[in-house]
Amino acid sequence: RGQVDSLMQNPGNAARHTRDKRRVLLLSGAALTLCLLLGWLGYRLFFGIYVDHEYRLSTQRLDSFALALEATLSRHEALPGLLALDPSLASALDLPSDPRRIAAANSYLEAAQQGAAVSVAFLIDSNGKTLAASNWRQARSFVGHNYAFRPYFIDAMRNGLGRFYGVGVTTGEPGYFLAAPVRQQDTQLGVIVIKLGLEAMEQALAGAGNTLLLADADGVIFLAADHRLRYRTLTPLPEAVVSRLAATRQYGNQPITALADTSFPDTPGRPLRIALPGETPRERLVHSRPVGNIGWQIIQLGDPGDAHAAALGAGIAVGFASAFTLGLFAHFRQRARRREELRRIYAELESRIA
């Protein structure tokens, strides 16, 4: 017994105990760091999976809205060209000083507007002056106004078809304009324009239960369930674009303001910090899809809060699972080391006794 006590109280045991204690602290620190790292990696992995899942759902939702809008627009695409074939329009453009020809054009456009269920139809000469319109009886008639600066007139005169969305200069009401040239033999006399309202699409956006927006090629939001989002942009516009919008008066005198003060993130799926009207700035997931043939975009703003919460829970679970696994491994390893130490002590004891 005295030899056993002497062996167990050997001064070398104290030094070994100190070294073991330091080793345990280092290993514990390393294990904690590893668990935190695995938890963070789990958070990033599950956040990416959740965002990707939301992106696929958003893509399906945006596709359905885009197809519906494209069907609405394409249904009226050929209408201006068909209306331009009526001889009363060319006759009015050929001799605009004849009241009978202007009256015939007004009657034809009025009947066409009612039959095609469009907001308004009007006739413009080659200088941009409106000679006849379906709303010629109304106080805010287009007759007499000059729209030579409007892109739909310029495009129709140059390219044969004009498309444009903007706020009406005369009425102040937004709409989608389609224009086609009116010809007499090989001579282009003027342009016929129809204006469509997109109220039905706006109602569909409102009933979607999501923050869905429709933006033009410059990124200006012109259709949204929340009217406070109209004539906003997600990111700041270049000065050249601001000048062009002012020149064409596309959105009247409405100030164009940005919802975010930074550009779009380079990494897809990365949130953009946006301040919606009446809210404090916070991150939003931005999903978009092109629609139509003039550069429009339908945009959905998602809330990444659910993704962060789900990913955080998964990351914490991964961290605790890692800690539990390392704890079990350390426990069984320590038991094995104790057995080995006991065997060594008993072997040394037996050797000394012998």
Side-chain angles (χ1 to χ4, degrees):
R1 181 184 180 96
Q3 290 180 348
V4 173
D5 293 340
S6 174
L7 179 63
M8 298 301 292
Q9 295 174 1
N10 193 314
N13 290 337
R16 188 184 305 116
H17 178 72
T18 302
R19 289 195 302 269
D20 290 345
K21 187 175 182 180
R22 290 177 180 174
R23 185 182 179 189
V24 169
L25 290 176
L26 289 175
L27 290 177
S28 299
L32 178 61
T33 303
L34 179 61
C35 292
L36 292 176
L37 177 61
L38 291 175
W40 181 81
L41 291 176
Y43 166 80
R44 297 302 305 173
L45 174 63
F46 281 97
F47 181 75
I49 292 174
Y50 188 91
V51 169
D52 184 66
H53 176 69
E54 283 297 306
Y55 176 78
R56 289 196 298 270
L57 292 179
S58 298
T59 299
Q60 297 174 1
R61 189 178 298 112
L62 295 180
D63 285 344
S64 63
F65 275 99
L67 292 174
L69 180 58
E70 288 171 350
T72 301
L73 299 179
S74 61
R75 187 166 61 246
H76 296 87
E77 191 93 347
L79 183 57
L82 293 175
L83 296 179
L85 299 176
D86 191 271
S88 64
L89 301 184
S91 178
L93 289 169
D94 186 48
L95 190 60
S97 59
D98 189 342
R100 290 177 299 177
R101 297 189 180 190
I102 297 298
N106 282 329
S107 298
Y108 170 72
L109 292 175
E110 189 175 28
Q113 178 266 325
Q114 295 174 358
V118 297
S119 297
V120 66
F122 52 105
L123 181 66
I124 304 175
D125 66 14
S126 58
N127 295 319
K129 182 181 178 181
T130 304
L131 301 181
S134 60
N135 59 2
W136 64 279
R137 302 175 187 270
Q138 301 175 11
R140 292 192 297 178
S141 171
F142 291 0
V143 175
H145 292 274
N146 194 295
Y147 300 113
F149 63 94
R150 284 296 214 179
Y152 58 78
F153 172 78
I154 298 172
D155 291 341
M157 292 292 290
R158 292 178 180 175
N159 307 319
L161 179 64
R163 305 182 186 92
F164 182 72
Y165 185 92
V167 175
V169 177
T170 306
T171 62
E173 299 174 355
Y176 180 59
F177 296 84
L178 288 168
V182 178
R183 296 185 176 92
Q184 191 175 55
Q185 297 179 353
D186 295 333
T187 304
Q188 189 164 311
L189 301 178
V191 169
I192 180 173
V193 186
I194 63 171
K195 180 182 178 181
L196 306 175
L198 298 181
E199 293 82 5
M201 183 55 60
E202 188 173 40
Q203 293 175 1
L205 293 177
N210 298 283
T211 307
L212 290 177
L213 316 168
L214 195 60
D216 64 13
D218 296 316
V220 180
I221 301 166
F222 62 86
L223 207 63
D226 187 350
H227 288 190
R228 296 176 300 174
L229 290 173
R230 281 186 179 181
Y231 317 124
R232 304 288 190 100
T233 61
L234 294 182
T235 56
L237 292 177
E239 288 297 329
V241 175
V242 175
S243 300
R244 174 165 51 79
L245 293 177
T248 60
R249 298 171 65 185
Q250 182 169 357
Y251 299 110
N253 298 321
Q254 295 286 344
I256 308 298
T257 57
L259 298 174
D261 54 4
T262 58
S263 59
F264 277 108
D266 298 330
T267 306
R270 184 178 176 185
L272 178 66
R273 191 170 181 81
I274 295 176
L276 295 179
E279 297 182 5
T280 57
R282 61 191 180 107
E283 290 185 338
R284 295 277 183 171
L285 294 174
V286 181
H287 301 146
S288 63
R289 181 202 187 279
V291 58
N293 46 21
I294 55 175
W296 288 1
Q297 294 276 331
I298 185 166
I299 302 169
Q300 176 177 323
L301 299 181
D303 187 356
D306 293 338
H308 283 301
L312 181 61
I316 292 174
V318 169
F320 276 112
S322 302
F324 180 73
T325 303
L326 290 175
L328 285 178
F329 175 78
H331 171 71
F332 288 115
R333 180 178 175 82
Q334 185 66 17
R335 288 184 62 182
R337 288 184 61 189
R338 286 179 179 177
R339 291 195 193 99
E340 285 294 324
E341 186 68 15
L342 287 174
R343 290 194 190 100
R344 186 187 64 79
I345 291 175
Y346 284 129
E348 185 178 350
L349 178 61
E350 289 175 359
S351 174
R352 292 193 178 191
I353 290 174

